[in-house]
Amino acid sequence: FYHQTPNRSIMVEARSFLFSSESVNEGHPDKLCDQVSDAVLDACLKADPMSKVACETATKDNMVMVFGEISTAANLDYEKIVRDQVKEIGFSSFVDDLSSVDSKGLSCDTCEVLVRINKQSPDIAGGVHVGKDDMDVGAGDQGIMFGYASDETECHMPLTHLLANKLGKQLTDVRKDGTLWWLRPDGKTQVTIAYDQLADGSVIPTKIHTVLISTQHAEPSKAKRSTEQDGKDNRPAWTGAEEIAPSMAEMNTLIHDHVIVKTLESITLKNGKSALTIYSKDDCHVHLNPS
C-alpha cells in the first residue's frame, strides 16, 4: 500500500505474496440461478420498463423455482422463461441416479418449474417509490460492496480475477462451438498468482502459481457426439461422422491447450506482454478435473 500526502510519502516493506481468485461457469447452480433471475428481470423490463422486480431462484434435483415479488403490466409465462434459460445454458438431460453418466443434472424439457411470485409489498412500495420523485427513490434492499481498479490488465480488473473469469468463459465457448463438445455446462476455476510488492506499494505478477479447473464432462472414451450433442440444448444436433469422447488424460491435455493456453494468450499485462510469459506448465501447479 502506498499513501501520498502533500508533504510526505509513506513507503512499505517490499515483499512477495500469493493471491487467489475463483469463478464459476454458467452451468454452476449459483450462476444458473443468477441467470434465471436475470432472464425474468429482462422479460419484465422489456414489456414494461416501469416493472418492480425482486426475483430469486433456487434449483435442486431437476427442479427450478422462481419466487419473489413482482409488480408489472407484462403478462409473462415464467415457466417458459425458466426453460428457455436452462436450455440456453445447456442442460438437456436428467436421470434420477447419481451414478448416471448420461445425466447432465437438469433437463430443460422435464424439470419441474415452480413459480411463487406475488406483487410487490405495499410497505416496500411505499418506502421505495410510491409518492416519491426521482431524487427521493429509496432502496428495496441494502448492501455494502467495495472494490478497486487495477493497472494489472487493460480492463483494470485484478489479474487473478480476470484470468479465473476468462478461463470459465473459454470453457463455455469451446463447448458451445464444438471444439471440446464433450464438456458440459457446470464448472469452476481457481487461479493463484505470485506477486512482488515493491517499496512504493506497486505490485508485479511474477508467475502463475496454480490453475485449477473442475469441469463437468461426458463419459471419457465412451460418450458419442451424436448423443451428447443431440440438438436438445442450445447447440445444433450433430450430423457429421460419429466421434467418441477422448480419454480422461486426453481431455485434460485438450483443456490445457484450448482453455488455459488460449486464455493466457488473450490477456495483455501492463508491461505489454502476453500473460503467457509468466506461465510455465512445468513450474505451475495445474489441477484439471481434480475430483
Side-chain angles (χ1 to χ4, degrees), residues 57-129:
T57 303
T59 182
K60 182 70 170 74
D61 293 340
N62 209 37
M63 180 279 295
V64 180
M65 178 180 184
V66 289
F67 54 100
E69 297 182 350
I70 298 178
S71 292
T72 180
N75 183 17
L76 301 176
D77 184 344
Y78 292 110
E79 179 173 341
K80 184 177 186 304
I81 293 171
V82 170
R83 294 191 187 280
D84 287 349
Q85 191 59 45
V86 171
K87 181 177 181 179
E88 172 63 26
I89 292 170
F91 283 115
S92 58
S93 64
F94 175 78
V95 179
D96 192 12
D97 180 356
L98 293 177
S99 64
S100 171
V101 296
D102 297 321
S103 177
K104 295 181 181 179
L106 183 64
S107 169
C108 55
D109 295 322
T110 67
C111 68
E112 180 182 12
V113 177
L114 301 177
V115 180
R116 299 294 184 271
I117 293 175
N118 291 318
K119 292 184 177 180
Q120 186 183 53
S121 161
D123 293 333
I124 293 178
V128 174
H129 62 91

Side-chain angles (χ1 to χ4, degrees), residues 175-179 181 223-244:
R175 169 174 59 89
K176 290 187 173 181
D177 69 18
T179 303
W181 57 267
K224 297 180 179 180
R225 185 166 187 175
S226 60
T227 301
E228 189 70 16
Q229 191 177 331
D230 56 9
K232 293 181 180 180
D233 59 12
N234 61 321
R235 300 175 296 178
W238 178 251
T239 57
E242 188 63 273
E243 297 179 19
I244 304 298

Side-chain angles (χ1 to χ4, degrees), residues 51 95 104 111 145 150 168 173 179 190 194 207 213 226 229 249:
S51 296
V95 179
K104 295 181 181 179
C111 68
M145 296 80 179
S150 169
D173 289 345
T179 303
Q190 182 174 304
K207 74 172 184 178
I213 296 178
S226 60
Q229 191 177 331

Side-chain angles (χ1 to χ4, degrees), residues 207-257:
K207 74 172 184 178
I208 298 174
H209 180 278
T210 303
V211 175
L212 182 150
I213 296 178
S214 181
T215 181
Q216 190 181 23
H217 56 78
E219 186 176 16
S221 304
K222 293 184 179 181
K224 297 180 179 180
R225 185 166 187 175
S226 60
T227 301
E228 189 70 16
Q229 191 177 331
D230 56 9
K232 293 181 180 180
D233 59 12
N234 61 321
R235 300 175 296 178
W238 178 251
T239 57
E242 188 63 273
E243 297 179 19
I244 304 298
S247 67
M248 192 73 254
E250 291 171 329
M251 284 185 177
N252 288 344
T253 297
L254 290 167
I255 291 172
H256 176 270
D257 295 345

Side-chain angles (χ1 to χ4, degrees), residues 145-208:
M145 296 80 179
F146 73 95
Y148 60 92
S150 169
D151 65 358
E152 291 181 72
T153 60
E154 292 178 313
C155 64
H156 307 297
M157 298 299 291
L159 182 57
T160 53
H161 173 83
L162 177 66
L163 182 51
N165 278 355
K166 287 180 74 72
L167 285 170
K169 179 61 165 58
Q170 182 68 3
L171 275 171
T172 296
D173 289 345
V174 294
R175 169 174 59 89
K176 290 187 173 181
D177 69 18
T179 303
L180 304 184
W181 57 267
W182 35 266
L183 289 173
R184 288 178 175 178
D186 195 1
K188 191 171 187 177
T189 63
Q190 182 174 304
V191 175
T192 300
I193 293 179
Y195 287 90
D196 284 343
Q197 183 177 43
L198 306 184
D200 65 358
S202 62
V203 295
I204 299 174
T206 58
K207 74 172 184 178
I208 298 174

